[in-house]
Structures are given as structure tokens and as C-alpha cells.
Amino acid sequence: MAKQFTHYDIYSDFVSVGYGRRTFDGTRSGRSIGYSIGWRMVILYKDCKFFVGDSFHGLCFSLIFNKPFLITVNSNVSGLQRFTTLLKMIVLEDRLFFTDKDDVRKIDEIVRQYIDYQMVNRIIKGYAKDSYEWLFNAIKSKKGMRLRHLIFY
């Protein structure tokens, strides 16, 4: 059975320009969730049950906190490649909804899909290990570099 979400469970980082800031439940409020509040915004990502948004940071925080997500983008948006590259690396490219191409019924399909975060985290850990090794070897290849301060996870 698919999990049902209420509007209080979903956090979106969309900001309505010209209408003031909106809280996570979509209502106008005196409290701001804008980009200027830093760690409080991270807590909203951490505490949400489902993330919907168009920001790369939102995608990254969803992955860090193992949250189900839906990323909405226009196919002509600048920066699209970083979304598609990351999502392909972790085999979740089907979580991307193109607002100018996709049928809205795809949203329901995406929301109902389970994300196997054990697999996703294994993939990310593998890429992180490869990155650390590459960096280690790049630094080691420089003559006279001392490597005792590098820590590998």
C-alpha cells in the first residue's frame, strides 16, 4: 500500500516571488523559511517526510537525510545537467519531473515509488571512496607532499 502524505509532511523549497515567503504548509506566515535562515532550513529538510522542489541543494539534502523526493525542472533550465548526472549515478533519474514535457500523472507514479536508500547509500559511499583515492593519489604524486593528515572513511 502506498504511503499517504498530508501537506504538513511535505516540504517544498519553492518560493513565490512577489507573494512573500510561504511556510512548509503553503500558508503565508510571519515566519520565514527563506534562504537566509541557514540551519533552520536544513532542519526542514531533515524533518520532512517527502521533499518536492527544484533546487539541487534540496536534492542533495533529500539524499543525505534519506527522504523520498520529487524534483521538478524545466528541460531548458540552466544547471539541468547536475540533476541528471547525480540522479543517473544513483539510479534515480526517474524521480525527475519535467514541467514542460511530462504528463502530470507521472507525479503520482513518482510519489508511489519506493527509494531503496540502502542501495543509494552504498553507491554514494563507493563514489566517495573513489574520490578520496583519486585525491590521495593526486596529492601523493606531488614530490615531497606529506600525507599523514589525510583521513579516509
Side-chain angles (χ1 to χ4, degrees):
M1 182 172 171
K3 180 156 175 69
Q4 298 295 314
F5 295 99
T6 68
H7 68 281
Y8 293 105
D9 294 330
I10 298 173
Y11 173 62
S12 173
D13 64 356
F14 293 120
V15 176
S16 299
V17 178
Y19 296 102
R21 304 230 185 243
R22 297 190 180 269
T23 61
F24 65 95
D25 64 353
T27 61
R28 281 192 207 178
S29 168
R31 63 188 174 134
S32 170
I33 60 163
Y35 295 103
S36 61
I37 61 170
W39 64 269
R40 291 184 200 167
M41 189 167 177
V42 174
I43 289 172
L44 289 173
Y45 287 111
K46 182 182 177 294
D47 290 343
C48 77
K49 296 205 176 24
F50 195 97
F51 172 75
V52 178
D54 63 352
S55 78
F56 187 74
H57 289 93
L59 170 59
C60 293
F61 281 121
S62 296
L63 296 172
I64 289 168
F65 296 125
N66 293 279
K67 301 296 181 179
F69 63 88
L70 165 69
I71 301 299
T72 63
V73 293
N74 185 298
S75 60
N76 297 321
V77 71
S78 64
L80 177 62
Q81 187 173 3
R82 62 185 180 165
F83 287 105
T84 55
T85 300
L86 177 56
L87 290 170
K88 282 181 184 176
M89 290 171 67
I90 58 176
V91 196
L92 290 176
E93 59 267 29
D94 58 341
R95 308 293 297 187
L96 198 58
F97 178 81
F98 290 96
T99 56
D100 59 333
K101 291 182 185 177
D102 290 333
D103 187 309
V104 292
R105 289 178 282 208
K106 183 179 176 186
I107 293 172
D108 192 46
E109 293 172 23
I110 293 171
V111 169
R112 293 178 187 275
Q113 290 172 352
Y114 171 75
I115 298 175
D116 181 358
Y117 269 109
Q118 286 186 338
M119 180 197 68
V120 170
N121 292 334
R122 250 191 330 269
I123 292 169
I124 291 172
K125 190 173 186 176
Y127 280 115
K129 183 178 181 271
D130 292 346
S131 298
Y132 286 125
E133 288 175 4
W134 181 89
L135 181 61
F136 181 82
N137 290 330
I139 293 171
K140 187 169 87 172
S141 69
K142 299 287 183 186
K143 269 188 164 178
M145 294 294 288
R146 295 181 184 247
L147 302 175
R148 65 177 177 227
H149 299 294
L150 289 179
I151 299 172
F152 290 92
Y153 297 97

